[in-house]
Amino acid sequence: MSSVDADNSAIFYTADAGASPTWYLAEGTNAWDFYTYTTIENPSDRELHARIMYMDPNPETGAGRAFQRTVTLPPLSQTTISSEPDIGEVDFSTRVECLEGETIAVDRTMYWTGEGAPCPEGHSSVAATSPSKTWYLPEGSSTWGFETWTLVQNPNGTDADVTLTYMTEDEGPIAIQKTVPAYSRGSFDMGADIGEHDSSVQVTSDLPVIAERSQYRNGRREGSCSVGAPAPATDYYLAEGTTAWGFETYLLVQNPNDSDAEVTLTFMTPDGPIGQDPFTIAANSRKTVKVSELEGLENTDLSARVHADRPVVAERSMYWNGGPDSGQACHASIGLSSTSNSFFLPDGQTSEGWQTWTLVANPHDRAVPIEVTYLPQGGGEPVSFTDTIAAGSRATYEMADKIPEGRASVLVRTLDISLPVLVERSMYSADRGLGTDTIGAFE
């Protein structure tokens, strides 16, 4: 059994320096034929309790703090909560708070079946631990058959005045003004705001808010979602990625500066790091990179480091064809602006046809020893193993190798604190006709 310190502190892109027991999820709906559930990971060795608040933006149901409930979190466990029995078929945002003030980790998964689609699709995102007055969302398109929605959660007691600045690849920035009511959420359609463009989004607000982006294509046969990043950085890391196994991987790099940015990509592969020539991204715009077209990256698993001479934001999207009749599916995730010694991944399942993969990237020039621990749904004996990841490479772990049938959260820790890593989780079902991905929350 792996012991886990009760005072571990999970932080995802917090707007301040401290850890937080509180998590926010801007996206969520049980309307429009969607189904949403929240997963909570308790890495503490004692029982905890979490209060869940659903914020309903629908005027006909009374916008505001629509419903609250408290759930018990067994020690070293995963807990999943369906929202539909609590609030019905409505759009909503979520706030989750540990009542004991200790660390928990939270993510959200949504399923739906597009009109005429042969199987469901899904998307997932880790929660944010803190509101911010600025958010960046690199991925987005309202052309090529895509629809893109920006979800802005306002957890404050007064209305928030919000500006969406669309940083297009072809026409530069376009600013649109919005208002999000108190204790509510705004859902904003890129196509309705600016027409057909490939574009990143910058969200600015007079009050601290939380922003996510959802994107769909082919009559919602496929879709992806990710929380935003509250700040750009000169380095972003993306643990997941492959040009093998029928997958296509894209990097989306957003330059929110008023001057051009020079960007260099380095990929961590099973054979070690592969660098690329630098390229330039125009001011207040976005660049899309198809990874399989880069030198030395055909038919390989990979992680990526995005380095720039001025702060940028990076995201990754992946597309693939599922089973013979399912059609194309996709998932996406924001990158990480720093490495960490511990990562928390709340969702995970190997039952009912699910596959769960943990992706761990080592950006260092020497090998990193790690420990992976699975925390079972409802608690019980955790399952742990150790491994060593070669320098400048990525390791991939399938949950079914240790938990053949069941559900579990994931905890990844480095065993050498001088060598922090990067971690994501991908999940697939319906013969890979359905796939989700998210970065982990980190310590």
Side-chain angles (χ1 to χ4, degrees):
M1 174 176 175
S2 171
S3 63
V4 182
D5 293 339
D7 61 350
N8 278 350
S9 299
I11 308 173
F12 170 70
Y13 286 132
T14 63
D16 55 42
S20 171
T22 305
W23 298 80
Y24 298 87
L25 294 154
E27 172 66 295
T29 186
N30 296 311
W32 325 106
D33 296 320
F34 282 79
Y35 167 76
T36 301
Y37 72 85
T38 303
T39 305
I40 305 176
E41 178 174 0
N42 177 13
S44 171
D45 58 3
R46 71 186 187 99
E47 180 179 283
L48 301 176
H49 301 85
R51 177 185 294 126
I52 301 173
M53 176 192 293
Y54 298 110
M55 302 179 187
D56 180 1
N58 299 286
E60 63 271 20
T61 56
R65 292 172 286 184
F67 185 87
Q68 295 187 85
R69 66 177 291 196
T70 299
V71 297
T72 299
L73 310 175
L76 301 169
S77 71
Q78 178 201 73
T79 301
T80 57
I81 303 103
S82 171
S83 55
E84 197 277 336
D86 290 337
I87 58 174
E89 297 181 359
V90 298
D91 298 330
F92 62 93
S93 292
T94 308
R95 180 179 185 267
V96 181
E97 178 186 10
C98 177
L99 298 182
E100 289 82 3
E102 294 195 21
T103 290
I104 55 176
V106 179
D107 64 21
R108 177 213 60 250
T109 302
M110 296 172 60
Y111 302 125
W112 70 93
T113 302
E115 185 176 356
C119 70
E121 231 300 42
H123 54 54
S124 179
S125 178
V126 71
T129 60
S130 180
S132 173
K133 290 186 177 182
T134 306
W135 291 92
Y136 299 90
L137 302 147
E139 173 64 297
S141 180
S142 51
T143 189
W144 317 106
F146 284 98
E147 57 175 309
T148 296
W149 297 83
T150 302
L151 302 312
V152 182
Q153 178 183 9
N154 177 13
N156 304 285
T158 57
D159 294 356
D161 293 325
V162 174
T163 301
L164 303 187
T165 301
Y166 293 97
M167 299 180 179
T168 69
E169 290 199 13
D170 56 344
E171 290 188 10
I174 304 170
I176 306 292
Q177 306 299 316
K178 307 287 186 180
T179 299
V180 182
Y183 299 121
S184 184
R185 187 191 83 194
S187 302
F188 306 117
D189 180 2
M190 179 183 291
D193 282 348
I194 63 170
E196 294 188 1
H197 292 278
D198 293 322
S199 182
S200 295
V201 183
Q202 177 182 345
V203 179
T204 56
S205 173
D206 66 333
L207 298 174
V209 296
I210 302 93
E212 295 187 41
R213 183 223 62 256
S214 290
Q215 183 170 300
Y216 305 95
R217 192 184 183 201
N218 294 332
R220 298 193 175 178
R221 161 61 201 113
E222 57 187 311
S224 66
C225 180
S226 179
V227 68
T234 54
D235 287 289
Y236 262 84
Y237 301 88
L238 301 130
E240 171 66 298
T242 186
T243 57
W245 323 106
F247 286 81
E248 198 70 76
T249 297
Y250 294 83
L251 298 184
L252 302 310
V253 186
Q254 179 180 7
N255 176 16
N257 302 285
D258 292 331
S259 55
D260 295 354
E262 185 175 272
V263 176
T264 303
L265 305 179
T266 303
F267 294 89
M268 293 158 268
T269 75
D271 297 323
I274 298 176
Q276 301 291 319
D277 293 334
F279 58 88
T280 299
I281 305 178
N284 294 303
S285 72
R286 189 191 83 186
K287 176 74 171 178
T288 303
V289 179
K290 188 176 182 180
V291 175
S292 63
E293 295 179 347
L294 301 178
E295 184 177 355
L297 294 170
E298 303 84 5
N299 198 38
T300 184
D301 295 333
L302 55 94
S303 296
R305 177 193 178 199
V306 179
H307 175 75
D309 65 347
R310 61 192 68 248
V312 297
V313 188
E315 188 170 347
R316 180 212 58 259
S317 293
M318 295 174 62
Y319 297 84
W320 66 94
N321 287 316
D325 300 317
S326 65
Q328 190 178 75
C330 65
H331 58 52
S333 177
I334 195 73
L336 290 160
S337 59
S338 65
T339 55
S340 181
N341 294 115
S342 297
F343 279 88
F344 306 86
L345 302 135
D347 203 2
Q349 184 174 359
T350 58
S351 56
E352 300 177 344
W354 280 95
Q355 298 176 321
T356 297
W357 302 83
T358 303
L359 305 310
V360 185
N362 172 15
H364 305 288
D365 58 4
R366 56 193 174 109
V368 176
I370 67 162
E371 179 186 61
V372 179
T373 301
Y374 298 120
L375 307 180
Q377 184 179 49
E381 189 75 9
V383 178
S384 295
F385 64 93
T386 59
D387 195 17
T388 300
I389 304 175
S393 70
R394 191 194 83 191
T396 305
Y397 304 104
E398 185 174 10
M399 183 180 288
D401 290 341
K402 301 297 181 181
I403 301 181
E405 187 81 8
R407 293 189 59 95
S409 295
V410 187
L411 168 62
V412 178
R413 299 190 297 175
T414 57
L415 300 179
D416 183 339
I417 62 172
S418 69
L419 298 171
V421 295
L422 307 131
V423 183
E424 294 186 39
R425 182 211 64 235
S426 291
M427 296 176 64
Y428 302 95
S429 184
D431 197 18
R432 296 203 175 181
L434 184 163
T436 71
D437 179 86
T438 183
I439 58 172
F442 62 88
E443 183 180 21

